[in-house]
Amino acid sequence: MLFRSGIMVGYSYLGTDGKEVAKISLQGNELKVTCYYKNGKKSVQGYRKNGLLEGDYIEYHPNGQVAEKSVYKFGEEQGKFEVFSETGVKLEERAYEKGYREGPETIYYTSGKVKKKAIYTEGNLYGDVIYYAPDGKVLRVVNYYDGDPLSIR
């Protein structure tokens, strides 16, 4: 991708032959971008407005399964962000507001069971971060204030 003053002004990608295609200059305000793996399956799909990411943004595993889903507003992550395994199991779920982590975050084992729960405020950890064993038992709890750990139990 080519950027000028922090704004995307062009891009390139690998063609079906595995070689980089000639740089594509962006003209106009809005653009839908879709990139593909050599196997023909999508690798990325998103939208750009005035050179910045805008709206739904999806990355894919080479097998076609969704790898990550997120939403952008004015080039910053906004709303739900999810990560998935190659088999489609949700591995992470969190939220963003104006580019900062905001609200609950849950990390999962590949079995789908909860591995970690946390809460963010303006990008910093607040309150209890709970770590779970694969069987669901609590391993430890770390209490945070403004991103700094206060206690471990």
Side-chain angles (χ1 to χ4, degrees), residues 99-123:
Y100 293 100
R101 287 186 184 186
E102 185 71 32
E105 172 188 69
T106 306
I107 308 293
Y108 301 91
Y109 287 102
T110 55
S111 66
K113 292 191 177 193
V114 175
K115 184 176 188 178
K116 174 187 163 191
K117 284 190 166 211
I119 295 185
Y120 285 84
T121 301
E122 295 179 355

Short mmCIF file of all heavy atoms in Angstrom, two decimals, residues 99-123:
data_model
loop_
_atom_site.label_atom_id
_atom_site.label_comp_id
_atom_site.label_asym_id
_atom_site.label_seq_id
_atom_site.Cartn_x
_atom_site.Cartn_y
_atom_site.Cartn_z
N GLY A 99 -10.70 3.79 17.99
CA GLY A 99 -9.37 3.18 17.91
C GLY A 99 -8.84 2.60 19.21
O GLY A 99 -7.80 1.98 19.22
N TYR A 100 -9.54 2.79 20.32
CA TYR A 100 -9.11 2.27 21.62
C TYR A 100 -9.98 1.10 22.04
O TYR A 100 -11.19 1.11 21.81
CB TYR A 100 -9.22 3.35 22.71
CG TYR A 100 -8.26 4.49 22.54
CD1 TYR A 100 -8.69 5.69 21.98
CD2 TYR A 100 -6.94 4.38 22.94
CE1 TYR A 100 -7.81 6.76 21.83
CE2 TYR A 100 -6.06 5.43 22.78
CZ TYR A 100 -6.50 6.61 22.22
OH TYR A 100 -5.63 7.66 22.07
N ARG A 101 -9.35 0.12 22.70
CA ARG A 101 -10.15 -0.96 23.27
C ARG A 101 -11.10 -0.37 24.31
O ARG A 101 -10.69 0.44 25.14
CB ARG A 101 -9.26 -2.01 23.95
CG ARG A 101 -8.52 -2.85 22.96
CD ARG A 101 -7.79 -3.95 23.67
NE ARG A 101 -6.99 -4.70 22.73
CZ ARG A 101 -6.33 -5.79 23.04
NH1 ARG A 101 -6.35 -6.26 24.26
NH2 ARG A 101 -5.63 -6.41 22.11
N GLU A 102 -12.35 -0.80 24.24
CA GLU A 102 -13.37 -0.24 25.12
C GLU A 102 -14.40 -1.32 25.42
O GLU A 102 -15.02 -1.85 24.51
CB GLU A 102 -14.05 0.96 24.46
CG GLU A 102 -15.02 1.69 25.32
CD GLU A 102 -14.37 2.48 26.44
OE1 GLU A 102 -13.23 2.98 26.26
OE2 GLU A 102 -14.98 2.59 27.50
N GLY A 103 -14.56 -1.66 26.69
CA GLY A 103 -15.56 -2.64 27.09
C GLY A 103 -14.96 -4.02 27.27
O GLY A 103 -13.75 -4.19 27.41
N PRO A 104 -15.83 -5.04 27.25
CA PRO A 104 -15.38 -6.40 27.54
C PRO A 104 -14.52 -7.01 26.42
O PRO A 104 -14.71 -6.72 25.24
CB PRO A 104 -16.67 -7.18 27.70
CG PRO A 104 -17.69 -6.40 26.97
CD PRO A 104 -17.27 -4.97 27.02
N GLU A 105 -13.60 -7.86 26.85
CA GLU A 105 -12.78 -8.66 25.94
C GLU A 105 -12.86 -10.10 26.43
O GLU A 105 -12.73 -10.35 27.62
CB GLU A 105 -11.32 -8.20 25.96
CG GLU A 105 -10.41 -9.13 25.16
CD GLU A 105 -8.94 -8.78 25.33
OE1 GLU A 105 -8.41 -8.97 26.44
OE2 GLU A 105 -8.35 -8.31 24.36
N THR A 106 -13.08 -11.03 25.51
CA THR A 106 -13.09 -12.44 25.86
C THR A 106 -12.17 -13.18 24.89
O THR A 106 -12.28 -13.02 23.68
CB THR A 106 -14.51 -13.03 25.77
OG1 THR A 106 -15.39 -12.24 26.58
CG2 THR A 106 -14.53 -14.47 26.26
N ILE A 107 -11.25 -13.98 25.47
CA ILE A 107 -10.34 -14.82 24.69
C ILE A 107 -10.79 -16.27 24.93
O ILE A 107 -11.09 -16.65 26.06
CB ILE A 107 -8.87 -14.65 25.14
CG1 ILE A 107 -8.47 -13.17 25.16
CG2 ILE A 107 -7.93 -15.50 24.28
CD1 ILE A 107 -8.42 -12.50 23.83
N TYR A 108 -10.81 -17.08 23.86
CA TYR A 108 -11.30 -18.44 23.95
C TYR A 108 -10.21 -19.46 23.62
O TYR A 108 -9.33 -19.18 22.81
CB TYR A 108 -12.46 -18.65 22.97
CG TYR A 108 -13.63 -17.75 23.20
CD1 TYR A 108 -13.72 -16.52 22.55
CD2 TYR A 108 -14.67 -18.12 24.05
CE1 TYR A 108 -14.80 -15.67 22.75
CE2 TYR A 108 -15.75 -17.28 24.25
CZ TYR A 108 -15.82 -16.06 23.60
OH TYR A 108 -16.88 -15.24 23.79
N TYR A 109 -10.32 -20.64 24.21
CA TYR A 109 -9.52 -21.79 23.79
C TYR A 109 -10.09 -22.27 22.45
O TYR A 109 -11.23 -21.96 22.10
CB TYR A 109 -9.60 -22.93 24.81
CG TYR A 109 -8.84 -22.67 26.09
CD1 TYR A 109 -9.50 -22.27 27.25
CD2 TYR A 109 -7.46 -22.86 26.14
CE1 TYR A 109 -8.81 -22.06 28.43
CE2 TYR A 109 -6.76 -22.64 27.32
CZ TYR A 109 -7.44 -22.24 28.46
OH TYR A 109 -6.74 -22.03 29.61
N THR A 110 -9.33 -23.08 21.72
CA THR A 110 -9.83 -23.61 20.44
C THR A 110 -11.04 -24.52 20.65
O THR A 110 -11.78 -24.78 19.71
CB THR A 110 -8.73 -24.36 19.67
OG1 THR A 110 -8.18 -25.37 20.52
CG2 THR A 110 -7.64 -23.43 19.19
N SER A 111 -11.25 -24.96 21.88
CA SER A 111 -12.43 -25.77 22.20
C SER A 111 -13.69 -24.91 22.27
O SER A 111 -14.80 -25.42 22.31
CB SER A 111 -12.24 -26.45 23.56
OG SER A 111 -12.20 -25.48 24.60
N GLY A 112 -13.50 -23.57 22.32
CA GLY A 112 -14.63 -22.66 22.44
C GLY A 112 -14.88 -22.21 23.87
O GLY A 112 -15.67 -21.31 24.12
N LYS A 113 -14.18 -22.83 24.83
CA LYS A 113 -14.34 -22.43 26.23
C LYS A 113 -13.54 -21.16 26.51
O LYS A 113 -12.52 -20.90 25.88
CB LYS A 113 -13.88 -23.55 27.15
CG LYS A 113 -14.79 -24.76 27.10
CD LYS A 113 -14.49 -25.73 28.20
CE LYS A 113 -15.48 -26.87 28.13
NZ LYS A 113 -15.46 -27.69 29.31
N VAL A 114 -14.03 -20.38 27.48
CA VAL A 114 -13.40 -19.10 27.82
C VAL A 114 -12.03 -19.33 28.45
O VAL A 114 -11.86 -20.15 29.35
CB VAL A 114 -14.30 -18.30 28.78
CG1 VAL A 114 -13.59 -17.02 29.23
CG2 VAL A 114 -15.61 -17.94 28.11
N LYS A 115 -11.05 -18.57 27.97
CA LYS A 115 -9.68 -18.61 28.48
C LYS A 115 -9.38 -17.38 29.35
O LYS A 115 -8.68 -17.46 30.34
CB LYS A 115 -8.70 -18.66 27.30
CG LYS A 115 -7.26 -18.79 27.66
CD LYS A 115 -6.41 -18.93 26.39
CE LYS A 115 -4.98 -19.24 26.70
NZ LYS A 115 -4.20 -19.42 25.47
N LYS A 116 -9.94 -16.21 28.95
CA LYS A 116 -9.65 -14.95 29.66
C LYS A 116 -10.80 -13.98 29.45
O LYS A 116 -11.35 -13.89 28.35
CB LYS A 116 -8.36 -14.36 29.12
CG LYS A 116 -8.00 -12.99 29.64
CD LYS A 116 -6.77 -12.45 28.90
CE LYS A 116 -6.62 -10.96 29.08
NZ LYS A 116 -5.62 -10.39 28.20
N LYS A 117 -11.14 -13.26 30.51
CA LYS A 117 -12.13 -12.19 30.43
C LYS A 117 -11.53 -10.94 31.02
O LYS A 117 -10.89 -11.00 32.08
CB LYS A 117 -13.42 -12.55 31.17
CG LYS A 117 -14.28 -13.53 30.45
CD LYS A 117 -15.63 -13.65 31.12
CE LYS A 117 -16.55 -14.37 30.17
NZ LYS A 117 -17.92 -13.94 30.32
N ALA A 118 -11.72 -9.81 30.34
CA ALA A 118 -11.17 -8.54 30.81
C ALA A 118 -12.09 -7.41 30.39
O ALA A 118 -12.96 -7.58 29.53
CB ALA A 118 -9.78 -8.33 30.21
N ILE A 119 -11.87 -6.24 31.00
CA ILE A 119 -12.63 -5.04 30.63
C ILE A 119 -11.63 -3.90 30.41
O ILE A 119 -10.72 -3.70 31.22
CB ILE A 119 -13.65 -4.65 31.71
CG1 ILE A 119 -14.70 -5.76 31.82
CG2 ILE A 119 -14.30 -3.31 31.38
CD1 ILE A 119 -15.84 -5.49 32.73
N TYR A 120 -11.83 -3.19 29.31
CA TYR A 120 -10.99 -2.05 28.95
C TYR A 120 -11.79 -0.76 28.99
O TYR A 120 -12.98 -0.74 28.65
CB TYR A 120 -10.42 -2.21 27.54
CG TYR A 120 -9.32 -3.22 27.44
CD1 TYR A 120 -9.59 -4.57 27.30
CD2 TYR A 120 -7.99 -2.81 27.47
CE1 TYR A 120 -8.56 -5.50 27.20
CE2 TYR A 120 -6.96 -3.73 27.37
CZ TYR A 120 -7.26 -5.07 27.24
OH TYR A 120 -6.24 -5.98 27.14
N THR A 121 -11.14 0.30 29.40
CA THR A 121 -11.70 1.65 29.34
C THR A 121 -10.64 2.55 28.74
O THR A 121 -9.52 2.62 29.24
CB THR A 121 -12.09 2.15 30.75
OG1 THR A 121 -13.05 1.25 31.30
CG2 THR A 121 -12.69 3.53 30.68
N GLU A 122 -10.97 3.18 27.63
CA GLU A 122 -10.05 4.05 26.90
C GLU A 122 -8.69 3.39 26.66
O GLU A 122 -7.64 4.00 26.80
CB GLU A 122 -9.89 5.38 27.64
CG GLU A 122 -11.18 6.17 27.68
CD GLU A 122 -11.05 7.48 28.43
OE1 GLU A 122 -9.98 7.77 29.01
OE2 GLU A 122 -12.04 8.23 28.42
N GLY A 123 -8.71 2.10 26.32
CA GLY A 123 -7.51 1.36 25.98
C GLY A 123 -6.75 0.77 27.15
O GLY A 123 -5.75 0.08 26.96
#
